[in-house]
Amino acid sequence: MTCYSLDGLTPVVDPSAYVHPSAVLIGDVIIGPHCYVGPLASLRGDFGRIVLEEGANLQDTCVMHGFPDSDTVVERNGHIGHGAVLHGCRIGADALVGMNAVVMDNARIGSRSFVSAAAFVKAGFECPEQSLVMGAPASIKRSLSDQEVAWKQAGTREYQQLAQRCLTQMQVCEPLSEPEPDRPRISDSGLRPKDSTS
């Protein structure tokens, strides 16, 4: 990772967390245990504080930033999809923010809630626990079922396992010029529906 101290504050990364080498951490950033930070993520603690609590993931090209004296927080087991932007907001425990969604200042996403892909959550927006938030501007559409929340929790566990796989198995390498015969596959996580014939 590319890591910068600023104004005497150095980013903190728990040893059990995985931060991709292309991610950028600046200043007041705190990454807790078992977190995953994907390629090209930017966590800019140059004004406010940036926090990923235990088990949270922040995927490829996500941005976390805020105004001076603000906190931008993803609580325990939060799940932030590819390309999302979080600015001075709080994402509740076990919540999901979909791909390319934007969550603005002082917004609070309740625990176990989902923000849909490409949603725009206005500054100051609040939603109760276990809500589905969609649209641009976003609004609360309905409550989520326990089954939907369980699906999200399984995905978050996959990212927690991915953090450990990356810590122990990922290596810089040169690409091959062609696929090897009988090229193996990375094993199925079990999240996709199985074919009824298999």
Side-chain angles (χ1 to χ4, degrees):
M1 82 196 82
T2 305
C3 193
Y4 299 95
S5 176
L6 183 65
D7 297 336
L9 283 169
T10 299
V12 176
V13 179
D14 186 274
S16 66
Y18 174 78
V19 179
H20 191 273
S22 65
V24 177
L25 281 56
I26 300 171
D28 195 2
V29 174
I30 302 170
I31 297 176
H34 311 295
C35 289
Y36 173 90
V37 176
L40 303 173
S42 175
L43 295 86
R44 284 182 50 203
D46 48 14
F47 292 134
R49 177 167 289 174
I50 306 298
V51 179
L52 292 181
E53 293 185 357
E54 182 176 0
N57 67 75
L58 186 76
Q59 298 170 23
D60 320 49
T61 72
C62 288
V63 174
M64 290 182 71
H65 193 237
F67 287 125
D69 302 318
S70 68
D71 288 352
T72 306
V73 179
V74 179
E75 294 181 5
R76 184 182 175 107
N77 296 328
H79 191 102
I80 312 302
H82 316 289
V85 176
L86 308 179
H87 202 276
C89 59
R90 179 172 286 268
I91 309 302
D94 232 356
L96 177 148
V97 175
M99 292 182 257
N100 291 316
V102 175
V103 185
M104 294 299 293
D105 301 276
N106 299 313
R108 298 179 70 89
I109 304 302
S111 298
R112 300 179 311 282
S113 292
F114 294 0
V115 175
S116 73
F120 178 76
V121 179
K122 288 180 167 182
F125 180 91
E126 293 194 31
C127 75
E129 294 182 354
Q130 212 157 316
S131 297
L132 175 62
V133 176
M134 299 177 71
S139 61
I140 299 165
K141 298 301 182 184
R142 63 176 174 83
S143 295
L144 293 169
S145 69
D146 291 341
Q147 183 179 9
E148 289 168 315
V149 173
W151 169 83
K152 178 266 168 204
Q153 291 169 333
T156 301
R157 286 191 296 273
E158 289 288 331
Y159 270 91
Q160 292 164 352
Q161 292 169 9
L162 179 59
Q164 294 311 302
R165 285 173 52 210
C166 290
L167 284 170
T168 59
Q169 298 179 41
M170 188 178 284
Q171 300 175 11
V172 175
C173 66
E174 292 296 320
L176 302 174
S177 59
E178 60 183 55
E180 57 272 65
D182 300 319
R183 182 178 174 89
R185 298 182 70 90
I186 293 178
S187 62
D188 186 359
S189 67
L191 286 178
R192 293 179 298 187
K194 299 269 188 223
D195 186 297
S196 59
T197 61
S198 56

